[in-house]
Amino acid sequence: MHIVVYGPGCARCHETERVVRKVLAELQCDADLQKVSDYQAMVAAGVLATPAVSVDGIIKVSGRIPKAEEVKTWLRQEP
Amino acid sequence: MASVTTDQPAPAHSAPPPPGRRFNRTLPQLACGLIAGVAWVVVYANLAGVANWAAYDLAGLTRGSHLASAVEFFVFEAPKVLMLLVLVVFGVGIVRSFFTPERTRKILAGRRESVGNVLAASLGIVTPFCSCSAVPLFIGFVTTGVPLGVTFSFLVSAPMVNEVALVLLFGLFGWKVAALYMSTGLLIAIGSGWTIGRLHLERHVEPWVYQVQAGRAPDESRLAWPDRVHAGADAVRDIVGKVWPYVLVGIAVGAGIHGYVPENFMAAIMGKSAWWAVPVAVLIGIPMYSNAAGIVPIVQALLAKGAALGTVLAFMMAVIGLSLPETIILRKVLRPPLIAAFVGIVGVGILIVGYVFNLVF
């Protein structure tokens, strides 16, 4: 599984990365986490508002910090 | 509220609790909401009496003293503004769950200018926006057929006309000033976006911007009602949780000015007769950065001491509408001539508003 956190480096983006990392550790999930702060890549992925998170190329949240519960459900949906 | 419609299909990407569980939870939540609403009204209606009691009976201050008038101001205004803030941010949080940036872009794409400028400025009020998203939003808009001028109408209105500013203006000045601020803010956004569109400044956008193939994200705006109520609660936690210290500090400074600065102290430097006050206020305000929560209580105190309304509102618009950090962020996508045009045109718009207010009031 490939998770991407999009954000130019604002406080909310760091918080988002922290939430995702925490859930990954909690579920002992070996997904790889990538941080993208390049605007071109961000827009190419369809992100209009940061922070945003995508799982396997599908944007799950944008413009807000996801809750840990939400992150868990994204991870569980995948095999 | 329409929480009856809980058995709507939930969005695919957020995990809904099983339907039965959700229904069982809806009724108690509705009851809690109702109780909270009633409590809100009762407390709000009695704030003035409580403030009076706290300043004179509890703290035993002398009526008419500097300290008493500062304390009474603070004890009354601080809870009042915070309560209004909670209520309005909650409401706006729900409204915003209907207007994601994706949806706004869809509405604006391919619009003619003028109609597009009006729409963009209006959507700027209700679309969630933070200045750290300005760049991806800008690229996402201009590469999918939203005209440059229309994009600017959005970028001007989104930070300047926001619910926090409007609540504070309403709470501290009344609905007339809040309505005036909102309408003139929208006019500035529409006018400056339209002007930028007429000047055909597309060549001053960094060339790489138009080469980006913008992807499209799914639209999050299809949610069930309980999710929208949660979005409102999240907004309260997020926004009020962030701005309350500014509100308190702002009101405390306001209270200090209220109690200790002599009446009409500001009349000479920020009053109507000083023609140069508006441009100076705008020039000082442009590089400054503060959110509305911090600036409005100070503005209120300045006004109470004889500063002219137009001058003060122009200052406030310049502070929250234009800022050095935002222009630095936008430099990534805009070349200096376009940044200068943006700041200059919006600045002139604010200047006009300031003078018109001073003339009318």
Side-chain angles (χ1 to χ4, degrees):
Chain A
M1 203 185 302
H2 186 60
I3 302 175
V4 186
V5 175
Y6 297 93
C10 53
R12 283 149 52 91
C13 313
H14 291 306
E15 176 62 18
T16 301
E17 190 190 354
R18 203 188 56 79
V19 170
V20 174
R21 272 196 199 289
K22 215 179 120 206
V23 172
L24 285 180
E26 203 180 306
L27 298 182
Q28 295 178 326
C29 188
D30 59 349
D32 62 308
L33 178 65
Q34 189 194 351
K35 262 211 86 183
V36 170
S37 55
D38 175 53
Y39 288 120
Q40 263 167 293
M42 228 179 272
V43 177
V47 172
L48 278 187
T50 54
V53 182
S54 77
V55 177
D56 289 337
I58 297 161
I59 293 182
K60 295 290 187 183
V61 66
S62 84
R64 61 186 176 87
I65 303 167
K67 289 191 215 23
E69 277 305 309
E70 265 176 279
V71 179
K72 278 179 197 167
T73 59
W74 306 334
L75 300 180
R76 286 204 191 105
Q77 275 166 18
E78 317 291 326
Chain B
M1 220 177 281
S3 303
V4 212
T5 56
T6 44
D7 46 0
Q8 274 181 4
H13 47 271
S14 89
R21 209 177 114 216
R22 166 171 283 172
F23 184 74
N24 288 340
R25 269 179 22 190
T26 304
L27 269 180
Q29 278 181 350
L30 210 60
C32 286
L34 204 66
I35 293 169
V38 171
W40 191 97
V41 172
V42 170
V43 174
Y44 190 79
N46 289 299
L47 275 179
V50 173
N52 204 296
W53 172 81
Y56 301 113
D57 297 330
L58 187 69
L61 298 168
T62 328
R63 248 164 231 282
S65 73
H66 288 315
L67 184 63
S69 103
V71 168
E72 194 188 354
F73 180 84
F74 184 81
V75 180
F76 177 58
E77 298 295 343
K80 181 178 100 176
V81 168
L82 286 178
M83 285 179 73
L84 278 173
L85 208 56
V86 168
L87 186 75
V88 173
V89 168
F90 180 70
V92 172
I94 292 177
V95 172
R96 284 196 170 159
S97 67
F98 290 92
F99 293 93
T100 57
E102 286 79 17
R103 194 179 206 185
T104 294
R105 172 168 74 174
K106 218 178 288 169
I107 296 173
L108 293 179
R111 286 274 169 194
R112 277 186 307 123
E113 290 184 346
S114 63
V115 182
N117 292 118
V118 176
L119 264 176
S122 316
L123 287 167
I125 308 176
V126 288
T127 308
F129 173 79
C130 120
S131 59
C132 56
S133 298
V135 167
L137 190 124
F138 178 88
I139 306 171
F141 273 30
V142 296
T143 52
T144 49
V146 182
L148 186 65
V150 175
T151 305
F152 268 106
S153 281
F154 182 86
L155 280 181
V156 173
S157 142
M160 191 156 73
V161 190
N162 65 67
E163 76 278 18
V164 176
L166 293 175
V167 165
L168 286 153
L169 287 175
F170 171 76
L172 298 171
F173 300 93
W175 67 269
K176 275 187 197 160
V177 174
L180 273 171
Y181 180 86
M182 184 168 125
S183 42
T184 50
L186 283 177
L187 281 179
I188 291 175
I190 294 166
S192 33
W194 186 83
T195 312
I196 289 172
R198 292 274 65 71
L199 293 175
H200 300 293
L201 296 169
E202 281 79 359
R203 64 181 185 282
H204 294 301
V205 173
E206 289 289 348
W208 64 267
V209 168
Y210 284 108
Q211 286 151 20
V212 174
Q213 267 298 326
R216 283 169 198 273
D219 192 348
E220 248 203 10
S221 58
R222 291 177 177 281
L223 294 174
W225 264 101
D227 293 318
R228 297 194 189 280
V229 174
H230 280 295
D234 284 346
V236 169
R237 213 168 308 140
D238 195 35
I239 296 176
V240 181
K242 203 159 36 187
V243 303
W244 72 265
Y246 296 94
V247 174
L248 290 188
V249 170
I251 295 177
V253 172
I257 298 179
H258 206 81
Y260 290 93
V261 177
E263 211 71 40
N264 289 324
F265 176 78
M266 289 292 163
I269 35 175
M270 286 182 92
K272 269 188 193 187
S273 51
W275 66 268
W276 44 268
V278 180
V280 170
V282 173
L283 284 180
I284 295 174
I286 288 175
M288 274 176 71
Y289 174 71
S290 160
N291 53 30
I295 196 87
V296 178
I298 296 169
V299 156
Q300 200 261 2
L302 292 176
L303 204 59
K305 299 301 172 188
L309 182 63
T311 311
V312 163
L313 279 187
F315 176 65
M316 173 174 166
M317 282 180 167
V319 171
I320 65 176
L322 290 169
S323 73
L324 204 56
E326 199 195 350
T327 46
I328 290 171
I329 291 173
L330 283 174
R331 173 65 191 89
K332 292 209 190 326
V333 282
L334 308 179
R335 286 187 171 162
L338 186 45
I339 293 193
F342 165 61
V343 175
I345 291 167
V346 176
V348 168
I350 296 173
L351 211 60
I352 295 172
V353 165
Y355 277 123
V356 169
F357 267 68
N358 280 354
L359 271 180
V360 174
F361 289 92

